[in-house]
Amino acid sequence: CQGYAQCCYAAPDHFELRGHEILFYDPAPPDAKRSQIERARQACPVRAIEIEPAGLAAGDEP
């Protein structure tokens, strides 16, 4: 993340930029909001957002 905040515009309920470069995000958004998160991922100019498959538990292989 370089602080461009494009994700904040695409999915404001799930990404919030505080200060110049402190990004807060929802690490487990509901599946119903997946399209907003995908839009935020596509909007990121440095491709800093990765989306794991739904239901993937920590340590599981994708």
Side-chain angles (χ1 to χ4, degrees), residues 30-48:
D31 286 340
K33 302 295 183 176
R34 194 165 184 89
S35 64
Q36 290 180 6
I37 304 302
E38 180 61 31
R39 190 169 45 240
R41 185 189 69 78
Q42 292 175 3
C44 181
V46 296
R47 303 295 181 240

Side-chain angles (χ1 to χ4, degrees), residues 3-59:
Y4 291 103
Q6 296 304 302
C7 58
C8 299
Y9 298 114
D13 293 338
H14 305 285
F15 296 89
E16 179 184 352
L17 192 63
R18 296 182 189 169
H20 293 288
E21 293 183 8
I22 302 171
L23 180 69
F24 287 85
Y25 63 93
D26 181 355
D31 286 340
K33 302 295 183 176
R34 194 165 184 89
S35 64
Q36 290 180 6
I37 304 302
E38 180 61 31
R39 190 169 45 240
R41 185 189 69 78
Q42 292 175 3
C44 181
V46 296
R47 303 295 181 240
I49 300 171
E50 292 185 24
I51 300 174
E52 294 179 352
L56 186 67

